[in-house]
Amino acid sequence: MFDSHAIGSRNVGFAKRISTHLAAALVTFCLLQIFIVAKMGGSLVLHLGIIVAIGGFAVAARGLERRWQMLDRSDLSHSGLALRFRRDLLQLWVASLVGAMLWIPVAIIFRFLFG
């Protein structure tokens, strides 16, 4: 049987799934940053930097979420969307993990310069 509602909502799962991954990646990003800066003897300046980094991550995450809302309304095939989804997930998690790790050299340099 042909169900037009099912066809129109066939890709809704991707937008919802990306939102879930974005939330988890943001929490992971925040926790890693806080842990790393605290272990490196973080100063007030580094903690303020964390706030700026989290804000930047949140803005980028919202852009990715909007992209997937638009892709859900597109006429792309399920396999095309699945490929894009996997690529975006890989980029999201790499950015979340590697981005948090960037505080290590920043904290080392900050400690070297300012004691």
Side-chain angles (χ1 to χ4, degrees):
M1 296 295 188
F2 183 73
D3 184 2
S4 63
H5 179 66
I7 298 294
S9 64
R10 66 178 161 59
N11 299 326
V12 173
F14 285 114
K16 183 165 178 53
R17 287 171 53 197
I18 201 75
S19 291
T20 302
H21 279 278
L22 284 167
L26 181 58
V27 169
T28 302
F29 182 72
C30 294
L31 292 175
L32 279 173
Q33 284 188 68
I34 292 166
F35 176 77
I36 290 168
V37 169
K39 286 294 182 187
M40 300 296 290
S43 69
L44 179 61
V45 173
L46 292 176
H47 282 90
L48 292 174
I50 289 174
I51 293 169
V52 171
I54 291 169
F57 189 96
V59 168
R62 183 61 187 135
L64 184 60
E65 192 172 42
R66 282 190 190 124
R67 176 177 184 264
W68 276 97
Q69 289 169 350
M70 289 186 339
L71 285 172
D72 272 351
R73 293 187 293 260
S74 73
D75 290 332
L76 292 172
S77 69
H78 182 76
S79 62
L81 287 172
L83 179 64
R84 285 175 175 78
F85 182 79
R86 286 190 300 275
R87 184 195 64 214
D88 283 356
L89 276 187
L90 178 64
Q91 291 173 351
L92 169 66
W93 283 104
V94 167
S96 177
L97 298 173
V98 172
M101 298 298 170
L102 291 176
W103 282 109
I104 294 172
V106 169
I108 291 170
I109 292 168
F110 188 83
R111 185 184 297 167
F112 177 75
L113 293 175
F114 302 108

